[in-house]
């Protein structure tokens, strides 16, 4: 009985602090103290499983990983808003509304437009029941278990009622920056990070992402008696939902414009990204009378802030080599203040971007922050005097001196050095991964540990860890050389002497891998498992592959000229030659049979067809993403097609797909899928 009382008390306390944290943004206890409460609750619930209730705060993370999201139709369409970009356009909106309603003056509410991802939340008798993405507006994905992990979403309302509410899931800027630190492929902005997170299939992973939500409107609520938007927001807050504190009731469009100006000034200090305001007719009765068009409601409009720009001098262009070996040019700027933040660097994306905009050192440039946290260079101002020579993109890696490889059909460049310090850890991880040499137990954290302890320094040194005869002696030797090895490895979760020995055994076992796996494990740019198998079958030995000429490679149907040139460049690097020689001397020559590829039947793969232009994505990039997600592309829609990806100005394929009832994926959704794909690989 005592346990039961304490459980109730703990649940109450945790809800109270959730509310303080999110509702009022004024936490009263530290994160540590909060975790203590949660631990105690989990512990008591373990002891008293009969007292577990679905709305307990401990039940936020309970969902199992999904295979795919179920599709749920929206009872009322989730339309997007029309955008306006100037106060004149806002006045036009006001004139239209007045005319349609036949009134002189309209009362509006103005709210912040949170730069996040829309979601619909359904409560049944006060209990959170289902959460759905906007999707295509008519139907969305069931992301209930992902939303449950967000602490600012109450699992239980203060009133037992049936209600659908809508809101914007977002990632606060601080949380976003910390989270991006942990990623190999950082998200460009908090919005993308929120979208990618919500589309992950494993709620436990979502729970680690710093997501939050603001509720801003009603969905399907049959018996809502409250007459205005402003009062509805109050009511939603009273139910325990988190409503953004910045909203104002405005008499007429002039007051609306004044408040929009105030909101724009709030922007740098909010701690989350907004990209404008939302202006709504306050009376719900008037909203109903105004109705909707096929795309958007007539009673609301978004006012988008102009992008934040400044001019400064480009002092230098440096090249950063990322963990994936990608070379990214970065602009070093004369520091300048932009929307309250001091900016001294901007991204230049890639070589083509610099050429296209003809950006040169010492130019006067316009920089902009628009949603993205990292500013970019919009363009160059005309110069009064002579300019510097055009920037020459390096042909060798600034970190290791290996040749730079530009990918076929892509603007990105990569370092080809297999032992480049920038990409070393990632390359070793890749080498050991499942599809390559499959060294069980040698994941990210272990590789990192072994590198930090100096136990391995490159790929061949993995094989110097093999035990020779007496394993106890081996361990002793290793520990003798590096006293922290055993202790620190054992202190990692799930590690002990036994698992150290298991690791050594799987290293030993990996020496028998087949040639296609060995080729794949080298991480040759744009040579994945499929092409590795083709190369292995065609050339028969590592020696032959590494000596292949461009002409020989071009005889293989799957290989284009750029890829052929890249393969030749890759094998001509000193670092590659030395790696292959070391592996050979250690007996790793790809002569084993283990893991030889079984050709996969094409019927297993999902078939995608593209139509229209995908924003910010070339066909080649889209195709690569599809392949990475385990699918293939086809030119025409047929019954075999799994889904049609629709960009701007789609062609006749769209109609055909609709006739055949084939799944339609919008460009935006596809980008989110692509991000989730990266997540799966990256984590
Ligand atoms: Zn390098």
């Amino acid at each position: 009985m005592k346990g039961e009382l304490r459980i109730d008390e703990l649940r109450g306390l945790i809800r109270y602090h959730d509310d303080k944290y999110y509702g009022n943004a004024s936490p009263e206890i530290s994160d540590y103290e909060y975790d203590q409460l949660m631990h105690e609750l989990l512990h008591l619930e373990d002891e008293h499983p009969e007292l577990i209730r679905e709305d307990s705060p401990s039940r936020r993370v309970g969902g199992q990983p999904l295979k795919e999201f179920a599709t749920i139709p929206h009872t009322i369409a989730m339309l997007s808003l029309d955008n306006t970009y100037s106060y004149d356009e806002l006045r036009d909106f006001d004139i239209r509304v007045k005319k349609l309603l036949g009134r002189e003056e309209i009362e509006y509410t103005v709210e912040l437009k949170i730069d996040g991802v829309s979601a619909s939340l359904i409560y049944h008798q006060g209990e959170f029941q289902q959460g759905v993405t906007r999707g295509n507006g008519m139907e969305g994905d069931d992301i209930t278990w992902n939303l449950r992990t967000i602490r600012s979403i109450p699992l239980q309302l203060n009133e037992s009622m049936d209600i659908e509410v809508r809101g914007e899931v977002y990632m606060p800027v601080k949380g976003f920056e910390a989270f991006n630190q942990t990623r190999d492929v950082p998200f460009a902005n908090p919005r993308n990070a929120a979208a990618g997170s919500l589309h992950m299939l494993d709620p436990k992973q979502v729970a680690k992402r710093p997501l939050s939500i603001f509720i801003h409107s009603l969905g399907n609520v049959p018996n809502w008696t409250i007459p205005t938007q402003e009062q509805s927001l109050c009511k939603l807050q009273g139910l325990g939902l988190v409503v953004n504190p910045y909203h104002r009731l405005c008499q007429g469009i002039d007051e609306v414009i004044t408040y929009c100006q105030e909101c724009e000034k709030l922007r740098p200090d909010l701690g989350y990204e907004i990209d404008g305001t939302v202006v709504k007719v306050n009376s719900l009765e008037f909203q109903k009378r105004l109705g909707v068009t096929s795309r958007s409601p007539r009673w609301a409009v978004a006012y988008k802030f102009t992008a934040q720009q400044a001019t400064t001098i480009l002092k230098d262009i440096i090249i950063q080599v990322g963990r994936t070996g990608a070379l990214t040019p970065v602009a070093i700027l004369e520091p300048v203040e932009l929307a309250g933040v001091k900016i001294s660097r901007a991204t230049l994306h890639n070589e083509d971007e610099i050429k296209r905009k003809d950006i040169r050192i010492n130019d006067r440039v316009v920089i902009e922050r628009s949603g993205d946290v990292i500013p970019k260079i919009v363009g160059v101002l005309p110069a009064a005097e002579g300019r510097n020579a055009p920037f020459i993109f390096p042909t060798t890696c600034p970190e290791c001196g290996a040749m730079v490889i530009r990918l076929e059909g892509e603007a990105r460049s990569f370092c080809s050095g297999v032992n480049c310090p920038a990409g070393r850890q990632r390359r070793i991880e890749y080498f050991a991964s499942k599809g390559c040499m499959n060294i069980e137990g040698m994941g990210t954290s272990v590789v990192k540990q072994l590198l930090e302890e100096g136990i391995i320094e490159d790929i061949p040194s993995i094989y110097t860890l093999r035990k020779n005869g007496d394993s106890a002696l081996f361990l002793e030797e290793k520990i003798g050389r590096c006293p922290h090895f055993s202790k620190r490895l054992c202190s990692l979760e799930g590690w002990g002497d036994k698992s150290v020995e298991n690791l050594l055994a799987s290293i030993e076992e990996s020496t028998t891998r087949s040639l296609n796996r060995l080729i794949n494990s080298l991480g040759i740019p744009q040579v994945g498992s499929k092409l590795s198998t083709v190369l292995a079958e065609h050339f028969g030995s590592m020696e032959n592959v590494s000596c292949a000429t461009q002409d020989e490679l071009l005889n293989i149907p799957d290989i284009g000229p750029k890829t052929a040139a890249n393969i030749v460049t890759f094998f001509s690097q000193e670092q590659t030659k030395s790696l292959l020689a070391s592996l050979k001397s250690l007996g790793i020559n790809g002569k084993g049979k283990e893991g030889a590829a079984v050709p996969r039947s094409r019927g297993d793969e999902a078939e995608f067809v593209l139509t229209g232009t995908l924003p910010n994505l070339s066909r080649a990039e889209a195709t690569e993403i599809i392949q990475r997600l385990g699918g293939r592309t086809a030119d025409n829609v047929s019954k075999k097609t799994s889904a049609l990806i629709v960009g701007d100005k789609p062609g006749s394929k769209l109609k055909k797909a609709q006739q055949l009832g084939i799944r339609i994926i919008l460009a935006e959704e596809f980008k989110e899928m692509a991000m989730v794909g990266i997540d799966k690989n990256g984590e």
Side-chain angles (χ1 to χ4, degrees), residues 321 397-402 415-417 420-421 575:
V321 189
C397 170
E399 295 282 337
C400 74
C415 164
S416 65
C420 178
Q575 290 182 43

Side-chain angles (χ1 to χ4, degrees), residues 390-519:
F391 178 74
I392 296 168
F393 204 83
T395 51
T396 56
C397 170
E399 295 282 337
C400 74
M403 289 286 285
V404 169
I405 284 180
R406 174 119 178 222
L407 301 187
E408 180 131 30
E410 281 202 37
R412 292 181 298 161
S413 302
F414 286 83
C415 164
S416 65
V418 285
N419 204 21
C420 178
R424 186 177 294 153
Q425 186 187 328
R426 186 61 179 255
R427 277 193 179 272
I428 297 175
E429 279 170 43
Y430 183 71
F431 180 87
S433 67
K434 250 205 178 82
C436 298
M437 298 303 267
N438 192 14
I439 305 178
E440 213 175 305
M442 207 156 158
T444 307
S445 53
V446 174
V447 171
K448 188 163 175 255
Q449 180 91 58
L450 295 176
L451 277 171
E452 276 171 3
E453 297 293 354
I455 291 166
I456 58 171
E457 60 258 11
D458 53 17
I459 288 169
S461 62
I462 296 171
Y463 291 98
T464 61
L465 289 180
R466 276 185 294 173
K467 52 182 181 186
N468 292 315
D470 186 8
S471 69
L473 188 70
F474 170 86
L475 273 176
E476 219 167 85
E477 256 173 42
K478 283 292 166 196
I479 294 161
R481 194 177 97 188
C482 177
H484 304 302
F485 171 60
S486 173
K487 204 171 132 236
R488 285 188 59 182
L489 202 55
C490 290
S491 74
L492 284 174
E493 206 178 332
W495 277 84
D497 284 355
K498 182 73 192 148
S499 29
V500 172
E501 227 177 287
N502 286 345
L503 173 64
L504 299 177
S506 44
I507 290 173
E508 183 65 46
E509 198 223 324
S510 76
T511 59
T512 62
R513 302 284 179 248
S514 54
L515 181 59
N516 56 322
R517 278 174 175 267
L518 184 60
I519 295 172

Side-chain angles (χ1 to χ4, degrees), residues 316-322 325-332 345 348-351 354 391-399 404 413-415 422:
D316 198 5
I317 296 174
I318 60 163
I319 304 290
Q320 282 182 343
V321 189
L327 273 66
T328 311
V330 176
I332 304 296
R345 284 175 172 227
L348 288 165
H349 298 291
N350 54 51
E351 185 181 2
I354 299 174
F391 178 74
I392 296 168
F393 204 83
T395 51
T396 56
C397 170
E399 295 282 337
V404 169
S413 302
F414 286 83
C415 164

Side-chain angles (χ1 to χ4, degrees), residues 336-380:
V336 62
E337 204 160 284
L338 187 57
V341 182
K342 198 173 225 179
I343 306 291
S344 54
R345 284 175 172 227
T347 176
L348 288 165
H349 298 291
N350 54 51
E351 185 181 2
D352 287 359
E353 177 93 352
I354 299 174
K355 276 200 188 129
R356 193 168 58 79
K357 293 181 176 161
D358 190 21
I359 296 168
R360 306 182 191 187
I361 292 167
N362 276 336
D363 277 350
R364 200 163 180 80
V365 292
V366 179
I367 58 166
E368 178 179 293
R369 276 184 84 211
S370 55
D372 293 0
V373 167
I374 306 158
K376 62 179 182 192
I377 292 185
V378 184
V380 175

Side-chain angles (χ1 to χ4, degrees), residues 469-645:
D470 186 8
S471 69
L473 188 70
F474 170 86
L475 273 176
E476 219 167 85
E477 256 173 42
K478 283 292 166 196
I479 294 161
R481 194 177 97 188
C482 177
H484 304 302
F485 171 60
S486 173
K487 204 171 132 236
R488 285 188 59 182
L489 202 55
C490 290
S491 74
L492 284 174
E493 206 178 332
W495 277 84
D497 284 355
K498 182 73 192 148
S499 29
V500 172
E501 227 177 287
N502 286 345
L503 173 64
L504 299 177
S506 44
I507 290 173
E508 183 65 46
E509 198 223 324
S510 76
T511 59
T512 62
R513 302 284 179 248
S514 54
L515 181 59
N516 56 322
R517 278 174 175 267
L518 184 60
I519 295 172
N520 193 22
S521 72
L522 298 176
I524 310 166
Q526 283 179 318
V527 177
S529 65
K530 198 172 139 200
L531 196 47
S532 296
T533 305
V534 172
L535 289 171
E537 278 167 5
H538 190 92
F539 291 101
S541 76
M542 193 45 113
E543 285 74 22
N544 291 345
V545 178
S546 62
C547 298
T549 65
Q550 194 156 344
D551 285 344
E552 284 169 341
L553 288 164
L554 278 171
N555 279 332
I556 300 172
D558 292 9
I559 298 182
K562 188 85 195 159
T563 306
N566 286 344
I567 293 172
V568 172
T569 305
F570 178 84
F571 282 109
S572 71
Q573 300 305 302
E574 279 313 315
Q575 290 182 43
T576 313
K577 286 180 183 166
S578 134
L579 169 68
L580 291 178
S582 303
L583 286 176
K584 194 176 165 191
S585 72
L586 288 158
I588 320 295
N589 49 19
K591 292 204 172 122
K593 285 277 166 281
E594 210 285 309
V598 183
R600 195 145 78 116
S601 104
R602 299 217 100 194
D604 297 348
E605 296 171 344
E607 181 185 287
F608 291 85
V609 177
L610 295 153
T611 182
T613 330
L614 299 176
N616 306 322
L617 209 61
S618 71
R619 284 277 161 138
E621 284 168 327
T623 306
E624 197 204 321
I625 290 166
I626 288 165
Q627 284 167 356
R628 206 178 54 215
L629 293 170
R632 69 191 146 95
T633 49
D635 290 334
N636 292 306
V637 173
S638 72
K639 278 186 189 153
K640 283 184 298 175
T641 308
S642 313
L644 178 72
I645 298 162

